[in-house]
């Protein structure tokens, strides 16, 4: 069940886990723990509600919009695993056959939201003659980040193996995600799919919205106290450390009103993908805070929607 109201504000203490020589433990209020950030500044940099006073309104709007879409464009729900949570909603045009597929991974700081809050972009894709899929997985604290990654990987592998069941083309699967879902999307794009029983080119492209490519500063912030990652896991689930695994074009997008640290994270990923000739486009959504960026996909006429549909051919 979605707990949107719990999403606003995280009164958690920071877990300072040093994962490289760049980081140091803060002993006082003025000590720098990452780049020029003190502990409080780093905590604030990863607490998006500090930068978005309308956060609750926007987050509640995800569910309202999603419910409206689901009433007008009823999805077909499939199970990709054995757990009750391991489901995905497929939104497809009537008589779909051989259509490209966009799989969406929701955000929520790895703690909140679900597929039920994620139908907003479906009309954009269905109207354009594509299939939109919102996947579900278990959030923290009932799950772990490695567990989430495993569920998302199994969901995408299931989509590839079953695409023709709902009119999709298994050779044209794309993935997108926002916030923590943007991080998970980047992990999917930096996955060696052969090691998970899927084709190496399972994914043909992706859209990372307001995500995080480097978890090292994240675990030094307030978020480290609930992510509970060891140094090896920080490295394994930091896509910026696995750029050689990206084998398809990627769009990176973020809002101009996001925290400086989220802007830095997204610029860093975009620059790194540029150097590997994997960047398909960069979008800085003017006047949008962190929570508003994903709503760009709800509008068929937004620059991000147009670029995403163009990526899908």
């Amino acid at each position: 069940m979605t707990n949107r109201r719990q999403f606003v504000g995280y009164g958690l203490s920071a877990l300072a886990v040093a994962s490289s020589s760049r980081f140091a433990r803060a002993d006082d209020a003025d000590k720098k723990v990452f780049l020029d950030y003190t502990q409080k500044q780093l905590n604030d940099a990863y607490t998006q509600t500090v930068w978005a006073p309308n956060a609750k309104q926007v987050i509640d709007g995800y569910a309202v919009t999603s419910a409206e879409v689901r009433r007008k464009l009823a999805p077909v729900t499939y199970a990709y695993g054995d757990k009750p949570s391991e489901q995905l909603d497929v939104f497809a045009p009537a008589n779909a056959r051989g259509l490209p597929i966009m799989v969406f991974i929701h955000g929520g700081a790895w703690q909140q939201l679900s597929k039920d809050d994620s139908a907003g972009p479906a009309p954009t894709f269905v109207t354009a003659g594509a299939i939109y899929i919102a996947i579900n997985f278990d959030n923290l604290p009932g799950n772990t980040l490695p567990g989430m990654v495993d569920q998302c990987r199994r969901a995408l592998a299931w989509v590839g193996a079953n695409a023709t069941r709902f009119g999709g083309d298994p050779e044209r699967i794309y993935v997108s995600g926002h916030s923590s879902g943007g991080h998970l999307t980047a992990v999917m794009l930096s996955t060696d799919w052969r090691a998970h029983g899927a084709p190496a080119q399972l994914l043909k492209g992706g859209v990372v919205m307001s995500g995080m490519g480097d978890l090292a500063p994240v675990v030094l912030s307030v978020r480290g106290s609930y992510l509970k990652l060891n140094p090896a896991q920080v490295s394994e689930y930091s896509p910026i450390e696995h750029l050689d695994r990206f084998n398809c074009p990627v769009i990176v997008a973020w809002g101009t009103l996001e925290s400086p640290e989220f802007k830095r994270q997204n610029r860093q990923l975009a620059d790194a993908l540029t150097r590997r000739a994997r960047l398909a486009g960069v979008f800085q959504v003017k006047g949008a805070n962190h929570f508003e960026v994903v709503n760009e996909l709800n509008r068929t006429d937004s620059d991000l929607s147009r670029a995403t549909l163009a990526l899908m051919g």
Side-chain angles (χ1 to χ4, degrees), residues 59-193:
I59 295 163
D60 286 348
Y62 298 162
V64 173
T65 299
S66 187
E68 292 174 352
V69 169
R70 292 166 69 88
R71 281 195 296 268
K72 297 176 182 177
L73 186 66
V76 177
T77 300
Y78 295 89
Y80 67 84
D82 295 331
K83 297 177 67 176
S85 60
E86 293 178 343
Q87 297 183 338
L88 48 83
D89 288 341
V90 176
F91 299 82
N95 303 313
R97 184 176 180 182
L99 300 182
I101 302 166
M102 174 57 76
V103 178
F104 180 78
I105 303 176
H106 71 78
W110 299 285
Q111 298 179 103
Q112 308 296 335
L113 306 179
S114 73
K115 70 176 178 61
D116 296 336
D117 304 287
S118 305
T124 295
F125 295 94
V126 173
T127 300
I131 292 171
Y132 175 83
I133 298 178
I135 67 173
N136 207 63
F137 47 88
D138 294 306
N139 295 322
L140 299 174
N143 200 356
T144 63
L145 183 60
M148 288 184 192
V149 170
D150 174 67
Q151 287 181 306
C152 290
R153 283 173 173 162
R154 287 191 288 111
L156 283 166
W158 186 94
V159 170
N162 293 272
T164 57
R165 289 177 59 182
F166 48 81
D169 183 350
E171 298 297 324
R172 291 192 289 169
I173 299 173
Y174 300 79
V175 64
S176 61
H178 172 249
S179 191
S180 57
H183 163 257
L184 290 168
T185 293
V187 173
M188 298 302 104
L189 291 164
S190 57
T191 290
D192 178 359
W193 286 102

Side-chain angles (χ1 to χ4, degrees), residues 12 14 38-47 220-223:
L12 303 172
T38 65
Q39 188 65 68
K40 182 182 184 306
Q41 290 169 337
L42 189 64
N43 289 346
D44 287 349
Y46 281 101
T47 305
L220 287 175
S221 79
V222 66
R223 298 191 179 204

Side-chain angles (χ1 to χ4, degrees), residues 18 32 53-54 59 72 88 202 208 238 288 295:
K32 308 299 184 183
N54 65 341
I59 295 163
K72 297 176 182 177
L88 48 83
L202 175 68
V208 176
S238 289
N295 288 337

